[in-house]
Amino acid sequence: MLKKTSKKEVEKHISEFFSNINDRTPKEVKKTRRLAMKFKIPLKEKRKLFCKKCFNPYKTPKTRIKNKIKSVLCENCGSISKWRIKN
Ligand SMILES: [Zn+2]
């Protein structure tokens, strides 16, 4: 069993993963998110790069901003994610 993963390595892996988010599959996104959770690595802004319901990376998201709330429609499952926009 190969288990020599440091938190730093995982952080690097996650950051590389999200820099190429458009080439990733929902399955990979889910796996990476789980990895981040396991190592207690906060995804922060990276969470906004994929659908929280089906883990589909947002490629051409339909974005709408209203009352300082940004909504993104997932082109895969149709679920809408909302985030408050910070000033
Ligand atoms: Zn979705």
Side-chain angles (χ1 to χ4, degrees), residues 48 64-66 68-70 83-87:
K48 299 175 184 178
R64 198 176 290 176
I65 296 166
K66 198 185 172 187
K68 288 181 181 172
I69 306 234
K70 187 181 171 185
W83 300 287
R84 193 173 291 273
I85 297 167
K86 284 170 199 158
N87 292 326

Side-chain angles (χ1 to χ4, degrees), residues 51 53-56 74 76-79:
C51 172
K53 208 168 181 182
C54 69
F55 301 100
N56 183 59
C74 173
N76 185 50
C77 74
S79 109

